[in-house]
């Protein structure tokens, strides 16, 4: 009885297979899958020889492999980052986004080689094109490699305040090719990653959020330098944004051409907005100097007119910081 049932099932399966094989729809599907998209040929001994063929079924198979690779990479990413701290997870995701593209390229090359397409022949046939593309994408590859170096050597992190080529911004995102930062004016600064390798980079916050800032000022010769020092320290100490430690200090920089030059150094906790406390301290310095009759000189020019008989008038210019009588 069981043998009879088994035989009936086998006959029905064979019948369904014959119907599918004989149907015109199946023939169309098979013809579509076997359709030649492109044929690679080469001349050997004066005769043209077919080296490899690209068919529709090969293209579909490669797409399936790439989709399968995508799901595998996502699973690996979730597995690795499942118990990672949030900071390490952000770094890993950025590095993983770089490595993913290289994995796709390797899988793609292996897939097309597996379906019988000669990869070497493709590269040889398109050598000139690949050289042109390589030259055109040279900067792009520099950006990608630089982005990897940024994450490996921990030069820049998200949230750092960096200065490059005179531009200052807070890093918001490190991408495959560029780093996106926001300036103090809330403008988006897009920095190509290769600039980190070819230019000097100042990371204001790598050692912490506190930074030492300074305000330069010059006073007239003859001023009481001890009083100047006292007033400068007062202007910085009384400001709400300056820190008590390290304490503000005053440096006597130089005897300038028209002034005694001082530098007021102080510490703040928000270097990104340092321009605001520095401006307020300058206002306070000006007020204190006016109240104590301390003048801030500025360069002046005295013109002496020398006139001799039967000669043209000659001008003599002297630069000084004081008026001459």
């Amino acid at each position: 009885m069981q043998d009879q049932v088994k035989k009936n099932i086998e006959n029905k399966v064979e019948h369904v297979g014959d119907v599918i094989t004989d149907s015109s729809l199946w023939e169309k599907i098979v013809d579509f899958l076997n359709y030649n998209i492109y044929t690679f040929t080469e001349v050997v001994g004066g005769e043209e020889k077919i080296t490899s063929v690209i068919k529709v079924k090969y293209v579909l198979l490669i797409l399936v492999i790439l989709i399968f690779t995508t799901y595998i990479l996502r699973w690996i990413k979730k597995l690795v980052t499942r118990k990672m701290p949030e900071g390490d997870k952000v770094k890993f995701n950025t590095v993983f986004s770089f490595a993913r593209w290289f994995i796709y390229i390797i899988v793609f090359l292996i897939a097309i080689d597996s379906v019988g397409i000669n990869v070497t022949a493709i590269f040889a046939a398109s050598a000139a094109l690949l050289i042109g593309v390589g030259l055109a994408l040279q900067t792009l590859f520099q950006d990608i490699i630089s982005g990897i170096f940024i994450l490996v050597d921990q030069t820049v992190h998200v949230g750092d305040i960096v200065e490059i080529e005179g531009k200052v911004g807070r890093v918001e995102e490190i991408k495959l090719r560029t780093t996106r930062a926001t300036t103090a004016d809330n403008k988006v600064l897009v920095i190509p990653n290769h600039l980190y390798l070819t230019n000097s980079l100042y990371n204001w916050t790598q050692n912490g959020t506190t930074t030492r800032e300074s305000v330069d000022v010059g006073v007239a010769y003859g001023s009481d330098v001890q009083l100047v020092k006292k007033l400068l320290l007062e202007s910085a100490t009384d400001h709400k944004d300056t820190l008590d430690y390290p304490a503000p200090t005053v440096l006597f920089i130089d005897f300038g051409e028209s002034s005694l030059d001082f530098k007021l150094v102080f510490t703040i906790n928000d270097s990104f907005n340092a321009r605001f406390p520095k401006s307020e301290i300058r206002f306070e310095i000006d007020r204190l100097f006016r109240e104590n009759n301390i003048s801030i000189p500025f360069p002046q020019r005295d013109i002496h007119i020398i006139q001799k008989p039967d000669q043209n008038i000659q001008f003599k210019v002297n630069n000084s910081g004081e008026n001459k009588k």
Side-chain angles (χ1 to χ4, degrees), residues 105-172:
I105 293 173
I106 294 173
V107 170
F108 177 75
L109 293 176
I110 294 175
I112 62 175
D113 185 69
S114 300
V115 297
I117 300 175
N118 191 348
V119 180
T120 306
I122 296 176
F123 287 158
S126 56
L129 176 62
L130 292 175
I131 292 174
V133 172
L135 293 175
L137 299 179
Q138 182 178 3
T139 304
L140 175 63
F141 290 134
Q142 287 180 352
D143 290 334
I144 295 174
I145 295 173
S146 300
I148 296 175
F149 286 157
I150 291 171
L151 294 166
V152 170
D153 62 11
Q154 304 293 302
T155 304
V156 179
H157 300 84
V158 174
D160 286 354
I161 299 173
V162 297
E163 177 182 355
I164 187 169
E165 292 187 337
K167 300 179 179 63
V168 180
R170 178 182 280 115
V171 176
E172 300 292 342

Coordinates of all heavy atoms in Angstrom, one line a residue, residues 105-172:
I105 N 33.6 45.1 -2.6 CA 34.4 45.0 -3.8 C 35.0 43.6 -3.9 O 35.0 43.0 -5.0 CB 35.5 46.1 -3.8 CG1 34.9 47.4 -4.0 CG2 36.5 45.8 -5.0 CD1 35.9 48.6 -3.8
I106 N 35.6 43.1 -2.8 CA 36.2 41.7 -2.8 C 35.1 40.7 -3.2 O 35.4 39.8 -4.0 CB 36.8 41.4 -1.5 CG1 38.0 42.4 -1.3 CG2 37.3 40.0 -1.4 CD1 38.6 42.3 0.1
V107 N 33.9 40.7 -2.5 CA 32.9 39.8 -2.8 C 32.4 39.8 -4.3 O 32.2 38.8 -4.9 CB 31.7 40.0 -1.8 CG1 30.5 39.2 -2.2 CG2 32.1 39.7 -0.4
F108 N 32.3 41.1 -4.8 CA 31.9 41.2 -6.2 C 32.9 40.6 -7.1 O 32.5 39.9 -8.1 CB 31.8 42.7 -6.5 CG 31.4 43.0 -7.9 CD1 30.1 42.8 -8.4 CD2 32.4 43.5 -8.8 CE1 29.8 43.1 -9.7 CE2 32.0 43.8 -10.1 CZ 30.8 43.5 -10.6
L109 N 34.2 40.8 -6.9 CA 35.2 40.2 -7.8 C 35.2 38.7 -7.7 O 35.3 38.0 -8.7 CB 36.6 40.8 -7.4 CG 36.8 42.3 -7.7 CD1 38.2 42.7 -7.2 CD2 36.7 42.6 -9.1
I110 N 35.1 38.2 -6.5 CA 35.0 36.7 -6.3 C 33.8 36.1 -7.0 O 33.8 35.1 -7.7 CB 35.0 36.3 -4.8 CG1 36.3 36.7 -4.2 CG2 34.7 34.8 -4.6 CD1 36.4 36.5 -2.7
A111 N 32.6 36.9 -6.9 CA 31.4 36.4 -7.5 C 31.5 36.3 -9.0 O 31.1 35.3 -9.7 CB 30.2 37.3 -7.1
I112 N 32.0 37.4 -9.7 CA 32.1 37.4 -11.1 C 33.1 36.4 -11.6 O 33.0 35.8 -12.7 CB 32.4 38.8 -11.7 CG1 33.7 39.3 -11.2 CG2 31.3 39.8 -11.3 CD1 34.1 40.7 -11.8
D113 N 34.1 36.1 -10.8 CA 35.1 35.1 -11.2 C 34.5 33.7 -11.1 O 34.8 32.8 -11.9 CB 36.4 35.2 -10.3 CG 37.5 34.3 -10.8 OD1 38.0 34.5 -11.9 OD2 37.7 33.3 -10.0
S114 N 33.6 33.5 -10.1 CA 33.0 32.2 -9.9 C 32.0 31.9 -11.0 O 31.8 30.7 -11.3 CB 32.3 32.2 -8.5 OG 33.2 32.4 -7.5
V115 N 31.4 32.8 -11.6 CA 30.4 32.5 -12.7 C 31.1 32.4 -14.0 O 30.4 32.3 -15.1 CB 29.3 33.6 -12.7 CG1 28.5 33.7 -11.4 CG2 29.9 35.0 -13.1
G116 N 32.4 32.4 -14.1 CA 33.1 32.2 -15.3 C 33.6 33.4 -16.1 O 34.1 33.3 -17.2
I117 N 33.4 34.6 -15.5 CA 33.9 35.8 -16.1 C 35.4 36.0 -15.8 O 35.7 36.1 -14.6 CB 33.0 37.0 -15.7 CG1 31.6 36.8 -16.1 CG2 33.6 38.3 -16.4 CD1 30.6 37.9 -15.6
N118 N 36.2 36.2 -16.8 CA 37.6 36.4 -16.6 C 37.9 37.8 -16.1 O 37.8 38.8 -16.9 CB 38.4 36.1 -17.9 CG 39.9 36.0 -17.6 OD1 40.4 36.4 -16.6 ND2 40.6 35.5 -18.6
V119 N 38.2 37.9 -14.8 CA 38.4 39.3 -14.2 C 39.7 39.9 -14.8 O 39.7 41.1 -15.1 CB 38.5 39.2 -12.7 CG1 38.8 40.5 -12.1 CG2 37.3 38.6 -12.1
T120 N 40.7 39.1 -15.0 CA 42.0 39.6 -15.6 C 41.7 40.2 -17.0 O 42.3 41.2 -17.3 CB 43.0 38.5 -15.7 OG1 43.2 37.9 -14.4 CG2 44.3 39.0 -16.2
A121 N 40.9 39.5 -17.8 CA 40.6 40.0 -19.1 C 39.9 41.3 -19.1 O 40.1 42.2 -19.9 CB 39.8 39.0 -19.9
I122 N 39.0 41.4 -18.1 CA 38.2 42.7 -18.0 C 39.2 43.8 -17.6 O 39.1 44.9 -18.2 CB 37.1 42.6 -16.9 CG1 36.1 41.5 -17.4 CG2 36.4 43.9 -16.7 CD1 35.0 41.3 -16.4
F123 N 40.1 43.6 -16.7 CA 41.0 44.6 -16.3 C 42.0 45.0 -17.4 O 42.3 46.2 -17.6 CB 41.8 44.2 -15.0 CG 41.0 44.2 -13.8 CD1 41.4 43.4 -12.7 CD2 39.9 44.9 -13.7 CE1 40.6 43.4 -11.5 CE2 39.1 45.0 -12.5 CZ 39.5 44.2 -11.4
A124 N 42.4 44.0 -18.2 CA 43.3 44.2 -19.3 C 42.6 45.0 -20.4 O 43.2 45.9 -21.0 CB 43.8 42.9 -19.8
A125 N 41.4 44.7 -20.6 CA 40.6 45.4 -21.7 C 40.3 46.9 -21.3 O 40.2 47.8 -22.2 CB 39.3 44.7 -22.0
S126 N 40.2 47.1 -20.0 CA 39.8 48.5 -19.6 C 41.0 49.1 -18.8 O 40.7 50.0 -17.9 CB 38.6 48.4 -18.7 OG 38.8 47.6 -17.6
A127 N 42.2 48.8 -19.1 CA 43.3 49.3 -18.4 C 43.4 50.8 -18.5 O 43.6 51.6 -17.5 CB 44.6 48.7 -18.9
A128 N 43.3 51.4 -19.7 CA 43.4 52.8 -19.9 C 42.2 53.5 -19.1 O 42.5 54.6 -18.5 CB 43.3 53.1 -21.4
L129 N 41.0 52.9 -19.2 CA 39.9 53.6 -18.5 C 40.1 53.6 -17.0 O 39.9 54.5 -16.3 CB 38.6 52.8 -18.8 CG 37.4 53.3 -18.1 CD1 37.0 54.7 -18.4 CD2 36.2 52.4 -18.4
L130 N 40.7 52.4 -16.4 CA 40.9 52.4 -15.0 C 42.0 53.3 -14.6 O 41.9 53.9 -13.5 CB 41.4 50.9 -14.6 CG 40.3 49.8 -14.8 CD1 40.9 48.5 -14.5 CD2 39.1 50.1 -13.8
I131 N 43.0 53.6 -15.4 CA 44.0 54.6 -15.1 C 43.4 56.0 -15.0 O 43.7 56.7 -14.1 CB 45.2 54.5 -16.1 CG1 46.0 53.2 -16.0 CG2 46.1 55.7 -15.9 CD1 47.0 53.0 -17.0
G132 N 42.6 56.3 -16.0 CA 41.9 57.6 -15.9 C 41.0 57.8 -14.7 O 41.0 58.8 -14.1
V133 N 40.3 56.7 -14.4 CA 39.4 56.8 -13.3 C 40.2 56.9 -12.0 O 39.8 57.6 -11.0 CB 38.5 55.5 -13.2 CG1 37.7 55.5 -11.9 CG2 37.5 55.5 -14.4
G134 N 41.3 56.2 -11.9 CA 42.2 56.2 -10.7 C 42.7 57.6 -10.5 O 42.8 58.1 -9.4
L135 N 43.2 58.3 -11.6 CA 43.7 59.6 -11.4 C 42.6 60.6 -11.0 O 42.8 61.5 -10.2 CB 44.3 60.1 -12.8 CG 45.6 59.4 -13.2 CD1 46.0 59.8 -14.6 CD2 46.7 59.6 -12.2
A136 N 41.4 60.4 -11.6 CA 40.3 61.3 -11.2 C 39.8 61.1 -9.8 O 39.4 62.0 -9.2 CB 39.1 61.0 -12.2
L137 N 39.9 59.9 -9.3 CA 39.5 59.6 -7.9 C 40.6 59.6 -6.9 O 40.5 59.1 -5.8 CB 38.8 58.2 -7.9 CG 37.5 58.1 -8.8 CD1 37.0 56.7 -8.7 CD2 36.5 59.1 -8.4
Q138 N 41.8 60.2 -7.3 CA 42.9 60.2 -6.4 C 42.6 60.9 -5.1 O 42.9 60.4 -4.0 CB 44.1 60.8 -7.1 CG 45.4 60.8 -6.3 CD 46.5 61.4 -7.0 OE1 46.4 61.9 -8.1 NE2 47.7 61.4 -6.4
T139 N 42.0 62.1 -5.2 CA 41.6 62.8 -4.0 C 40.6 62.1 -3.2 O 40.7 62.1 -1.9 CB 41.1 64.2 -4.4 OG1 42.1 64.9 -5.2 CG2 40.8 65.1 -3.2
L140 N 39.7 61.4 -3.8 CA 38.7 60.7 -3.1 C 39.3 59.6 -2.3 O 39.0 59.4 -1.1 CB 37.7 60.0 -4.1 CG 36.6 59.1 -3.5 CD1 35.7 59.9 -2.5 CD2 35.8 58.5 -4.6
F141 N 40.3 58.8 -2.8 CA 40.9 57.8 -2.1 C 41.8 58.4 -0.9 O 41.9 57.8 0.2 CB 41.8 57.0 -3.0 CG 41.0 56.1 -3.9 CD1 41.4 56.0 -5.3 CD2 40.0 55.3 -3.5 CE1 40.7 55.2 -6.1 CE2 39.2 54.6 -4.3 CZ 39.6 54.5 -5.7
Q142 N 42.4 59.6 -1.2 CA 43.1 60.2 -0.1 C 42.2 60.6 1.1 O 42.5 60.4 2.2 CB 43.8 61.5 -0.6 CG 44.9 61.3 -1.5 CD 45.6 62.6 -2.0 OE1 45.0 63.7 -1.8 NE2 46.7 62.5 -2.7
D143 N 41.0 61.1 0.7 CA 40.0 61.4 1.8 C 39.6 60.2 2.6 O 39.5 60.2 3.8 CB 38.8 62.0 1.2 CG 39.0 63.4 0.6 OD1 40.0 64.1 1.1 OD2 38.3 63.9 -0.3
I144 N 39.4 59.0 1.9 CA 38.9 57.8 2.6 C 40.0 57.3 3.5 O 39.8 56.9 4.6 CB 38.5 56.7 1.5 CG1 37.3 57.2 0.8 CG2 38.2 55.4 2.2 CD1 36.9 56.3 -0.4
I145 N 41.3 57.2 3.0 CA 42.4 56.7 3.8 C 42.6 57.7 5.0 O 42.9 57.2 6.1 CB 43.6 56.6 2.9 CG1 43.4 55.5 1.8 CG2 44.9 56.2 3.8 CD1 44.5 55.4 0.8
S146 N 42.5 59.0 4.7 CA 42.7 59.9 5.8 C 41.6 59.7 6.9 O 41.9 59.9 8.1 CB 42.7 61.4 5.3 OG 43.7 61.6 4.3
G147 N 40.4 59.5 6.5 CA 39.3 59.2 7.4 C 39.6 58.0 8.3 O 39.3 58.0 9.5
I148 N 40.2 57.0 7.7 CA 40.6 55.8 8.5 C 41.7 56.2 9.5 O 41.6 55.8 10.7 CB 41.0 54.7 7.6 CG1 39.9 54.2 6.7 CG2 41.6 53.5 8.4 CD1 40.2 53.2 5.7
F149 N 42.7 57.0 9.1 CA 43.8 57.4 10.0 C 43.2 58.2 11.1 O 43.7 58.1 12.3 CB 44.8 58.2 9.2 CG 45.7 57.3 8.3 CD1 46.3 57.9 7.2 CD2 45.8 56.0 8.6 CE1 47.1 57.1 6.4 CE2 46.6 55.2 7.7 CZ 47.3 55.7 6.7
I150 N 42.2 59.1 10.9 CA 41.7 59.9 11.9 C 41.1 59.0 13.0 O 41.3 59.4 14.2 CB 40.6 60.8 11.3 CG1 41.2 61.9 10.4 CG2 39.8 61.5 12.4 CD1 40.1 62.6 9.6
L151 N 40.4 58.0 12.7 CA 39.8 57.1 13.7 C 40.8 56.2 14.4 O 40.7 55.9 15.5 CB 38.7 56.3 13.1 CG 37.5 57.1 12.6 CD1 36.6 56.3 11.7 CD2 36.7 57.7 13.7
V152 N 41.9 55.8 13.6 CA 42.8 54.9 14.2 C 43.7 55.6 15.2 O 44.0 55.1 16.3 CB 43.7 54.2 13.1 CG1 44.9 53.4 13.7 CG2 42.8 53.3 12.2
D153 N 44.3 56.7 14.9 CA 45.2 57.4 15.8 C 44.5 58.4 16.7 O 45.1 59.1 17.5 CB 46.3 58.2 15.0 CG 45.7 59.3 14.1 OD1 44.5 59.6 14.2 OD2 46.4 59.8 13.3
Q154 N 43.1 58.4 16.7 CA 42.3 59.2 17.6 C 42.7 60.7 17.6 O 42.7 61.4 18.6 CB 42.5 58.7 19.0 CG 42.2 57.2 19.2 CD 40.7 56.9 19.0 OE1 39.9 57.5 19.7 NE2 40.4 56.1 18.0
T155 N 42.9 61.2 16.4 CA 43.3 62.6 16.2 C 42.1 63.5 16.5 O 42.2 64.5 17.2 CB 43.8 62.9 14.8 OG1 44.9 62.1 14.6 CG2 44.2 64.4 14.7
V156 N 40.9 63.1 16.0 CA 39.7 63.9 16.1 C 38.6 63.0 16.5 O 38.4 61.9 16.0 CB 39.4 64.6 14.8 CG1 38.1 65.4 14.9 CG2 40.5 65.5 14.3
H157 N 37.7 63.5 17.4 CA 36.5 62.8 17.8 C 35.3 63.7 17.6 O 35.4 64.9 17.4 CB 36.6 62.4 19.3 CG 37.7 61.5 19.7 ND1 39.0 62.1 20.0 CD2 37.8 60.2 19.8 CE1 39.8 61.1 20.3 NE2 39.1 59.9 20.2
V158 N 34.1 63.1 17.5 CA 32.9 63.8 17.4 C 32.8 64.7 18.7 O 32.9 64.2 19.8 CB 31.7 62.9 17.2 CG1 30.4 63.7 17.3 CG2 31.8 62.2 15.9
G159 N 32.5 66.0 18.5 CA 32.4 66.9 19.7 C 33.6 67.7 19.9 O 33.6 68.7 20.6
D160 N 34.8 67.4 19.3 CA 36.0 68.1 19.4 C 35.9 69.5 18.7 O 35.2 69.6 17.7 CB 37.2 67.4 18.9 CG 37.6 66.3 19.8 OD1 37.1 66.2 20.9 OD2 38.5 65.5 19.4
I161 N 36.6 70.5 19.2 CA 36.6 71.8 18.5 C 38.0 71.8 17.8 O 39.0 71.7 18.5 CB 36.5 72.9 19.5 CG1 35.1 72.8 20.2 CG2 36.6 74.3 18.8 CD1 34.9 73.8 21.3
V162 N 38.0 72.0 16.5 CA 39.2 71.9 15.7 C 39.4 73.2 14.9 O 38.4 73.9 14.6 CB 39.2 70.7 14.8 CG1 39.2 69.4 15.5 CG2 38.1 70.8 13.8
E163 N 40.6 73.5 14.7 CA 41.0 74.7 13.8 C 41.9 74.2 12.7 O 42.9 73.6 13.0 CB 41.7 75.8 14.7 CG 42.1 77.0 13.8 CD 42.8 78.0 14.6 OE1 42.9 77.8 15.9 OE2 43.4 79.0 14.1
I164 N 41.5 74.5 11.5 CA 42.3 74.1 10.3 C 42.1 75.1 9.2 O 41.0 75.6 9.0 CB 41.8 72.7 9.8 CG1 42.8 72.2 8.7 CG2 40.4 72.7 9.4 CD1 42.6 70.7 8.3
E165 N 43.2 75.6 8.7 CA 43.3 76.7 7.7 C 42.5 77.9 8.2 O 41.8 78.6 7.4 CB 42.7 76.2 6.4 CG 43.5 75.1 5.7 CD 43.0 74.8 4.3 OE1 41.8 75.0 4.0 OE2 43.8 74.3 3.5
G166 N 42.7 78.2 9.5 CA 42.1 79.4 10.0 C 40.6 79.3 10.3 O 40.0 80.3 10.7
K167 N 40.0 78.1 10.1 CA 38.5 78.0 10.3 C 38.4 77.1 11.6 O 39.1 76.1 11.7 CB 37.9 77.3 9.1 CG 38.0 78.1 7.8 CD 37.3 77.4 6.7 CE 37.4 78.2 5.4 NZ 38.8 78.4 4.9
V168 N 37.4 77.5 12.4 CA 37.2 76.8 13.7 C 35.8 76.2 13.7 O 34.8 76.9 13.3 CB 37.4 77.7 14.9 CG1 37.1 77.0 16.2 CG2 38.8 78.3 14.9
G169 N 35.6 75.0 14.1 CA 34.3 74.4 14.2 C 34.3 73.2 15.2 O 35.3 72.6 15.5
R170 N 33.0 72.9 15.6 CA 32.8 71.7 16.5 C 32.5 70.5 15.6 O 31.5 70.6 14.8 CB 31.8 72.0 17.5 CG 31.5 70.8 18.4 CD 30.4 71.0 19.4 NE 30.8 71.8 20.5 CZ 30.4 73.0 20.9 NH1 29.6 73.6 20.1 NH2 30.9 73.6 21.9
V171 N 33.2 69.4 15.7 CA 33.0 68.3 14.8 C 31.6 67.6 15.2 O 31.4 67.3 16.4 CB 34.1 67.2 15.0 CG1 33.9 66.0 14.2 CG2 35.5 67.9 14.6
E172 N 30.8 67.5 14.2 CA 29.5 66.9 14.4 C 29.4 65.4 13.8 O 28.7 64.6 14.4 CB 28.4 67.7 13.7 CG 28.3 69.1 14.1 CD 27.8 69.3 15.6 OE1 27.2 68.3 16.0 OE2 28.0 70.3 16.2

